[in-house]
Amino acid sequence: MAEVSKLRFNCYLLREDITSPQEAFRVQYRSNGRSPLQELASTAGAPEGCKAFFASKTDGEPPWARSLSQTFPKLESVRSLSHRLVILLPVGDRTFAVCFGYGSSTLDWSHVEANFGLRFASRSYNTLALNEIRSRRIDPSARTQSVQIPNRTSLRDFDIELEGEFVRRVVGELDAGVEDSELGAVVATDSVAFKVETDLYQVQRILGRMLETVSRNDVREDLRFIDSLEPLRSKDELTTELEKLLTVHLFDTRATRQSTPQDEAVAGLDPYLLSFAPPDDLTIENVHAIRVKHGDDLGYMQEMRIDSLLEATSPFRKSFGRSALKDIKVMAVDSDGNPASHETPLKNWLIFEAGSEEKRYLLTLGKWFALAESYARQLDDDLSGIEDVTEHLALGDWDIERHKEKDDANRSGETRFNAEVSRGREDLVCLDTDTMSSLGRQIEACDIFHAGGYLIHVKKYTDSQTLSHLFSQGYVAAQTLTADLDYRRDFIDKVKYLKPDLLSAAENAPTKVTYAIAVERDRSIPSSLPTFSKVNLRGFVQKLRRMKVQPSLARIQMR
């Protein structure tokens, strides 16, 4: 008997509201489209209700054949051929699209259940038997990382903090009892992919058990964040309203009146984060500039920053409605003016977060998500345990006019604030810009030192990148004071020289680290910080507590 072959099945769960198989496909691939798929006749080997659609396409002359045809004339007749096969497979009362070749490119993504594969992974993967994690940081750094380990290993060996990451792909083995052991490594993205014999009845059974796992099982603690980002449908009214909010926040007075959200709940959301960030396919070292195009208008960004985007679009003749997020095309170019990335909608190059005490919404890589309320509540509960020492330290207000970014002496507003708040107070000494050396690095022990032992680190809130630096700064300083005796001695000597009465407190440091954050209006700390600043803060608070250092927060009002 011939051996039954095994193939990798890439399976997408279609949304429940699909009423006709044709709805699963993009318009051009439907029966009345420009490139209709052909429905294939089947035998008894196909489960009841199963339908298969197929197409071949000649993609033209490959670039390498065109380039070398002068040298090798035979290559003139070479043409690329691609195949698309999609099997619509009923599983219970749902339908999966099982794709082969370029089949997935025919699907209408608004009809695909986003994150199904990742939701299954978060409930079923053996966290001691993983092979790959691919993720993207949802903050202005937009760091993308992919870690692969050929031999299965534990989650902690990947050294990736999954919280604060938009996890895009996980490869690993399933826990015993969750599914057939012979599936081996399972690939989870929006789809789920596994390798089995080409028996559609067996595939149907496996997908049925996966659906049950997603609907019944709880998320694994180590993977819970993967399931905390709830995808929004691109055609939902909520998504439309959020994109209006983004348009108004981004373009301000140049946004059209029609861009104002009609939903009062959305209109009342506070924008927490807006940043320009490249998509994953961009290799940064090849980028000379970013080209921005809207119809006949053309501009260039020299930096990947929102203010550079606004400068590049300032000569554009039109106001901007919500459609500008799609109609403005962005592409990186190299020093020769050649494309260094695909030309994609502006929305794909933005990171945005807006929310209230009840709900938070995120945009990254062109996709909208709602942060699961249970996760948001847990995060806020964790942060509520951080001591608030605002009244105790009494650092005063930050005068916006007096503490501008730079003065005539090129001092930063932060430096001037720290000096002024410490002047005349016996319980404070300013150490801002007084760096000391540790293993060749210049490190500030703190901006202000308090008689109660508080190592106070001060930052004006501008974006989550600034906060990331602040949280890291406080931890690194405390760690250095603990581990480097020479650095610790220099710190004690400096405090003794500047304010002898604080010598005893300096000798006991580090016992307390305070993050003092200057904010405008009635923004609260930490509840109104961007989600992933909260995640970052919680991580550094945990590290400080493990060092037996007491973390705290102080709010500085900007006026």
Side-chain angles (χ1 to χ4, degrees):
M1 181 182 296
E3 182 180 350
V4 180
S5 64
K6 286 189 175 184
L7 294 176
R8 184 167 294 280
F9 291 82
N10 205 347
C11 308
Y12 295 85
L13 177 62
L14 301 184
R15 293 192 182 276
E16 292 181 278
D17 54 2
I18 292 286
T19 57
S20 163
Q22 293 290 333
E23 288 183 56
F25 301 117
R26 293 161 56 194
V27 173
Q28 70 187 82
Y29 294 108
R30 297 177 185 176
S31 56
N32 57 352
R34 299 192 313 272
S35 308
L37 297 173
Q38 174 190 359
E39 185 173 353
L40 302 180
S42 61
T43 66
E48 184 178 353
C50 173
K51 296 179 182 291
F53 296 85
F54 173 79
S56 292
K57 180 184 177 184
T58 301
D59 293 329
E61 186 180 11
W64 48 265
R66 183 168 57 251
S67 175
L68 293 170
S69 60
Q70 299 272 334
T71 307
F72 305 103
K74 179 70 174 176
L75 295 178
E76 290 181 356
S77 59
V78 171
R79 295 292 181 271
S80 296
L81 189 67
S82 59
H83 301 285
R84 294 169 170 83
L85 175 62
V86 181
I87 299 173
L88 299 183
L89 185 63
V91 178
D93 59 354
R94 302 296 298 272
T95 301
F96 280 85
V98 183
C99 299
F100 300 87
Y102 290 87
S104 61
S105 68
T106 68
L107 298 178
D108 181 341
W109 296 113
S110 66
H111 292 307
V112 170
E113 197 79 60
N115 271 22
F116 171 76
L118 291 171
R119 294 186 67 204
F120 172 69
S122 67
R123 290 162 169 77
S124 61
Y125 271 27
N126 179 352
T127 55
L128 299 177
L130 300 180
N131 296 98
E132 178 185 350
I133 296 175
R134 187 177 301 169
S135 66
R136 177 186 176 95
R137 192 79 183 174
I138 308 181
D139 66 14
S141 70
R143 168 188 47 71
T144 297
Q145 61 180 337
S146 178
V147 182
Q148 299 183 49
I149 299 179
N151 300 313
R152 63 181 189 173
T153 190
S154 68
L155 178 61
R156 66 176 60 90
D157 291 337
F158 282 82
D159 196 28
I160 292 179
E161 293 284 349
L162 290 186
E163 292 189 292
E165 302 275 341
F166 173 32
V167 178
R168 309 191 60 206
R169 175 183 168 100
V170 183
V171 181
E173 295 185 10
L174 306 181
D175 261 347
V178 174
E179 195 41 72
D180 299 358
S181 58
E182 62 268 19
L183 292 183
V186 176
V187 182
T189 56
D190 280 337
S191 67
V192 61
F194 48 89
K195 200 171 186 179
V196 294
E197 295 177 353
T198 53
D199 178 349
L200 293 179
Y201 287 97
Q202 182 184 6
V203 175
Q204 193 177 48
R205 286 192 297 271
I206 292 171
L207 291 174
R209 288 197 289 270
M210 288 183 173
L211 269 176
E212 290 179 7
T213 299
V214 170
S215 62
R216 295 181 182 177
N217 291 14
D218 293 330
V219 178
R220 304 290 164 86
E221 182 63 26
D222 289 346
L223 299 172
R224 67 188 178 117
F225 185 73
I226 292 177
D227 201 49
S228 295
L229 292 176
E230 302 170 352
L232 302 181
R233 298 190 189 192
S234 60
K235 296 181 180 179
D236 274 2
E237 184 61 31
L238 174 58
T239 303
T240 299
E241 292 293 282
L242 287 169
E243 292 189 350
K244 288 180 180 179
L245 180 70
L246 169 56
T247 303
V248 170
H249 188 61
L250 175 60
F251 294 113
D252 196 17
T253 58
R254 297 194 66 189
T256 62
R257 286 186 179 180
Q258 292 75 18
S259 298
T260 303
Q262 300 303 303
D263 186 322
E264 291 183 6
V266 173
L269 296 175
D270 289 323
Y272 296 134
L273 172 66
L274 175 61
S275 179
F276 188 90
D280 285 353
D281 67 345
L282 183 62
T283 304
I284 299 298
E285 63 266 22
N286 294 332
V287 177
H288 176 69
I290 304 292
R291 192 188 77 179
V292 185
K293 188 177 181 182
H294 189 214
D296 295 330
D297 291 322
L298 187 65
Y300 287 89
M301 300 170 56
Q302 301 307 315
E303 295 181 305
M304 294 190 195
R305 300 177 61 87
I306 290 295
D307 52 5
S308 186
L309 169 67
L310 296 177
E311 183 179 350
T313 56
S314 61
F316 290 8
R317 291 162 290 182
K318 296 180 180 179
S319 298
F320 299 107
R322 169 186 166 243
S323 62
L325 299 176
K326 179 182 68 174
D327 295 340
I328 293 178
K329 305 297 185 184
V330 181
M331 182 176 71
V333 295
D334 62 21
S335 56
D336 295 324
N338 297 319
S341 74
H342 296 298
E343 183 181 73
T344 51
L346 172 61
K347 185 172 74 169
N348 293 17
W349 296 72
L350 297 175
I351 295 175
F352 182 65
E353 178 181 349
S356 63
E357 292 185 2
E358 290 76 34
K359 200 69 179 177
R360 293 210 174 200
Y361 300 98
L362 305 161
L363 170 72
T364 184
L365 295 174
K367 294 183 178 181
W368 285 96
F369 298 88
L371 185 68
E373 292 181 32
S374 59
Y375 180 83
R377 282 196 303 270
Q378 183 61 57
L379 183 56
D380 285 338
D381 287 346
D382 292 344
L383 296 182
S384 66
I386 305 173
E387 183 183 8
D388 186 327
V389 294
T390 302
E391 293 187 10
H392 179 64
L393 297 182
L395 297 178
D397 293 344
W398 182 299
D399 189 306
I400 296 175
E401 181 61 30
R402 191 165 72 250
H403 302 127
K404 292 177 180 177
E405 289 305 306
K406 295 288 183 181
D407 64 5
D408 294 338
N410 205 35
R411 296 178 303 171
S412 70
E414 179 190 312
T415 298
R416 295 197 306 281
F417 173 83
N418 293 331
E420 289 179 15
V421 78
S422 304
R423 190 176 300 130
R425 286 186 54 169
E426 295 302 317
D427 60 341
L428 297 178
V429 59
C430 180
L431 299 177
D432 188 10
T433 71
D434 265 330
T435 59
M436 297 169 291
S437 178
S438 174
L439 301 177
R441 295 186 301 162
Q442 296 298 310
I443 300 174
E444 283 185 3
C446 60
D447 292 314
I448 304 170
F449 184 59
H450 184 269
Y454 296 93
L455 294 157
I456 306 169
H457 297 266
V458 178
K459 277 283 183 293
K460 180 178 75 170
Y461 170 62
T462 54
D463 54 39
S464 62
Q465 203 160 15
T466 302
L467 294 179
S468 294
H469 176 70
L470 173 68
F471 302 149
S472 175
Q473 185 181 47
Y475 170 70
V476 168
Q479 188 180 47
T480 306
L481 281 169
T482 301
D484 189 332
L485 295 180
D486 291 336
Y487 181 88
R488 177 183 174 79
R489 190 179 303 111
D490 289 343
F491 165 73
I492 294 172
D493 289 345
K494 184 161 292 187
V495 173
K496 180 181 179 181
Y497 172 75
L498 294 172
K499 194 150 290 188
D501 290 348
L502 272 58
L503 173 60
S504 177
E507 290 175 335
N508 290 325
T511 58
K512 301 172 183 177
V513 167
T514 299
Y515 296 119
I517 304 173
V519 292
E520 296 186 58
R521 298 184 298 277
D522 58 351
R523 182 186 289 272
S524 58
I525 298 296
S527 62
S528 69
L529 296 179
T531 296
F532 299 104
S533 293
K534 291 184 178 183
V535 170
N536 212 5
L537 172 60
R538 183 175 63 179
F540 280 109
V541 162
Q542 291 170 346
K543 291 178 181 180
L544 287 169
R545 286 174 175 162
R546 285 196 289 267
M547 292 173 57
K548 308 299 182 186
V549 174
Q550 179 182 337
S552 57
L553 291 167
R555 184 182 183 279
I556 300 170
Q557 181 65 56
M558 299 182 70
R559 301 190 187 280

